[in-house]
């Protein structure tokens, strides 16, 4: 019985290792795919529920006043899928929020609507802390009339972007900045009608908050004895320190100096190097971690089909030289005849695998 149990554990060791990734994900506090790096997206997360995913749809009376932010009281009354301050009728407001970034401020110009300045405000409250990338854009959707609009992007009540968009500018402006967030920090993206003229001031605003990573490590299977590399990139590598982890353990930069760089190098990769890897970047704001990836070693790997290592392949000479060495001939630049590197040679399987790879197939 003890032997059977031991065999079961050995046979299923890989399953036990895979389960560890769930524990590691919880420990690191990150997702398992690049999609998890999107923290907030005003388009993808638009909804008819105030506060969902941290988003609120509202307005300021006249000018910026964080304490004077008001949520839109109506959804679907002005038009289907649109937040509004009032119904679509004379004596109401033009202040609107819709899907796909549509937004309209209200002004005090003479119309059949309420003559008061309302800045349309899309607010997001952070549930994360650490370094992030904030991206925003603003353009006109209805380029017919009016005096244009002004955008105001506020972080914790401080304006960090103030684009002015002409009445006919359907290209608009974009903005990107690295920022330091804390839980419950507020980002407000407000739009006002310039000079209070809200005629045809329907706009498109977009706001997203993302992780600082521009590329992420990927899981790999590596040939034994080869060099494996895992890399990550941020929007500004110079501002971060990098630390690589294997399972729960920090890889010591004294032992492997690349563990403190964007690219981790693992020379002479073996089964003992297998595990789950991730990178944590840190600056004065805090830390951010990549998704976890797995690194495994193949049992065996075939050689390249450039058997004579002359840099020319595919070519007939590789076949000639392989068959010559297989028959006992000499070739100083050639690989050995154990093409599939299973430590059994000479054997028919080496010949089969050689021609299979030469024809574009995989090494079994």
């Amino acid at each position: 019985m003890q032997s059977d149990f031991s065999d079961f554990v050995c046979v299923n060791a890989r399953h036990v290792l895979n389960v560890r990734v769930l524990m590691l994900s919880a420990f690191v506090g990150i997702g398992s795919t690049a999609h998890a790096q999107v923290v907030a997206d005003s388009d993808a997360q638009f909804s008819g529920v105030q506060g969902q995913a941290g988003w609120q749809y509202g307005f300021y009376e006249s000018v910026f006043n964080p304490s004077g932010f008001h949520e839109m009281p109506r959804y679907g009354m002005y038009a289907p899928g649109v937040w509004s301050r009032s119904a679509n009728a004379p004596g109401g407001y033009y202040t609107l929020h819709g899907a796909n970034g549509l937004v309209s401020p209200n002004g005090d110009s003479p119309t059949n609507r309420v003559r008061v300045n309302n800045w349309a405000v899309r607010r997001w409250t952070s549930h994360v802390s650490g370094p992030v990338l904030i991206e925003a854009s603003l353009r006109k959707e209805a380029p017919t009339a009016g005096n244009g609009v002004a955008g105001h992007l506020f972080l914790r009540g401080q304006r960090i972007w103030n684009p002015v968009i002409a009445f006919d500018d359907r290209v608009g402006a974009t903005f990107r900045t690295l920022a330091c967030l804390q839980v419950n920090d507020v980002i407000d993206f407000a739009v006002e009608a310039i000079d209070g003229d809200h005629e045809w001031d329907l706009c498109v605003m977009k706001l997203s908050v993302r992780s600082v990573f521009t590329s992420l490590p990927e899981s790999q299977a590596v040939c034994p004895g080869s060099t494996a590399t895992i890399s990550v990139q941020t929007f500004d590598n110079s501002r971060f320190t990098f630390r690589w982890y294997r399972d729960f353990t920090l890889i010591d930069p004294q032992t492997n100096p690349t563990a403190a760089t964007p690219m981790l190098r693992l020379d002479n990769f073996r089964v003992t190097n297998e595990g789950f890897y991730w990178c944590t970047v840190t600056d004065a704001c805090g830390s951010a971690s990549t998704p976890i990836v797995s690194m495994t070693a193949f049992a065996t790997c075939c050689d390249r089909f450039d058997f004579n290592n002359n840099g020319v392949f595919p070519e007939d000479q590789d076949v000639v030289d392989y068959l010559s060495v297989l028959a006992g001939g000499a070739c100083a630049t050639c690989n050995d005849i154990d093409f599939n590197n299973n430590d059994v040679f000479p054997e028919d399987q080496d010949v089969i695998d050689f021609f299979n790879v030469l024809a574009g197939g995989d090494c079994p």
Side-chain angles (χ1 to χ4, degrees):
M1 179 64 70
Q2 181 63 39
S3 177
D4 290 340
F5 178 74
S6 299
D7 291 344
F8 174 83
V9 171
C10 291
V11 170
N12 290 278
R14 176 60 61 193
H15 298 289
V16 174
L17 183 63
N18 288 338
V19 169
R20 290 163 61 199
V21 75
L22 301 177
M23 298 170 59
L24 286 167
S25 295
F27 172 72
V28 180
I30 56 178
S32 59
T33 68
H35 298 291
Q37 301 303 311
V38 177
V39 179
D41 188 304
S42 62
D43 273 7
Q45 295 173 332
F46 179 82
S47 77
V49 179
Q50 292 280 9
Q52 183 167 302
W55 291 101
Q56 292 171 276
Y57 312 92
F59 59 92
Y60 301 145
E61 292 281 11
S62 186
V63 296
F64 169 60
N65 180 6
S67 61
F69 173 83
H70 304 278
E71 289 186 344
M72 294 289 191
R74 295 173 175 84
Y75 181 73
M77 182 177 290
Y78 190 98
V82 172
W83 283 100
S84 64
R85 186 173 181 181
S86 66
N88 184 9
Y93 296 83
Y94 277 126
T95 322
L96 307 171
H97 288 276
N100 302 313
L102 290 176
V103 62
S104 176
N106 196 82
D108 59 6
S109 61
T111 68
N112 61 356
R113 302 301 172 113
V114 176
R115 298 179 184 181
V116 62
N117 281 326
N118 275 174
W119 290 15
V121 182
R122 197 161 295 195
R123 168 173 286 190
W124 181 75
T125 302
S126 176
H127 60 276
V128 300
S129 62
V132 297
L133 178 76
I134 298 175
E135 295 179 306
S137 65
L138 180 65
R139 67 174 179 84
K140 280 295 298 294
E141 175 65 14
T144 306
N147 293 329
V149 297
H152 305 268
L153 184 62
F154 298 97
L155 171 60
R156 293 186 294 271
Q158 299 297 312
R159 186 162 54 193
I160 59 175
W161 188 45
N162 181 209
V164 175
I165 310 299
F167 80 94
D168 59 349
D169 185 359
R170 298 196 67 180
V171 176
T174 60
F175 175 75
R176 170 185 289 182
T177 186
L178 287 166
C180 181
L181 282 189
Q182 301 297 324
V183 174
N184 294 324
D185 277 352
V186 171
I187 301 176
D188 278 354
F189 196 176
V191 177
E192 67 163 318
I194 293 178
D195 297 327
D197 184 355
H198 61 215
E199 186 177 10
W200 297 102
D201 275 340
L202 189 65
C203 304
V204 175
M205 65 153 58
K206 297 183 184 295
L207 174 64
S208 67
V209 179
R210 303 178 184 277
S211 81
V212 296
F213 300 110
T214 57
S215 67
L216 296 166
E218 297 182 354
S219 295
Q220 301 177 48
V222 183
C223 289
S226 66
T227 296
T229 59
I230 326 172
S231 64
V232 64
Q233 291 294 321
T234 71
F235 282 95
D236 183 3
N237 285 354
S238 64
R239 67 180 283 165
F240 294 105
T241 59
F242 293 79
R243 291 294 183 269
W244 286 91
Y245 292 79
R246 175 177 173 239
D247 296 340
F248 287 100
T249 305
L250 175 68
I251 301 174
D252 186 358
Q254 296 292 328
T255 304
N256 184 348
T258 66
T261 72
M263 179 179 288
L264 176 67
R265 179 185 174 101
L266 302 168
D267 293 323
N268 193 26
F269 193 90
R270 300 292 180 184
V271 172
T272 53
N273 299 117
E274 289 185 330
F276 296 104
Y277 290 77
W278 73 88
C279 182
T280 294
V281 298
T282 304
D283 67 359
C285 173
S287 299
S289 295
T290 68
I292 297 165
V293 298
S294 64
M295 297 293 291
T296 57
F298 287 118
T300 60
C301 286
C302 287
D303 293 333
R304 297 186 311 153
F305 53 74
D306 183 19
F307 182 75
N308 55 25
N309 294 301
N310 67 351
V312 181
F313 56 90
E315 64 167 349
D316 294 343
Q317 193 59 47
D318 283 310
V319 179
V320 171
D321 289 340
Y322 180 74
L323 295 177
S324 174
V325 172
L326 188 67
C331 176
T333 63
C334 290
N335 297 328
D336 58 42
I337 59 175
D338 186 19
F339 184 78
N340 56 24
N341 294 304
N342 66 351
D343 294 328
V344 180
F345 56 91
E347 63 167 349
D348 293 343
Q349 192 61 48
D350 284 311
V351 180
I352 293 171
D353 290 342
F354 175 82
F355 283 101
N356 184 54
V357 172
L358 186 66
D362 294 325
C363 178

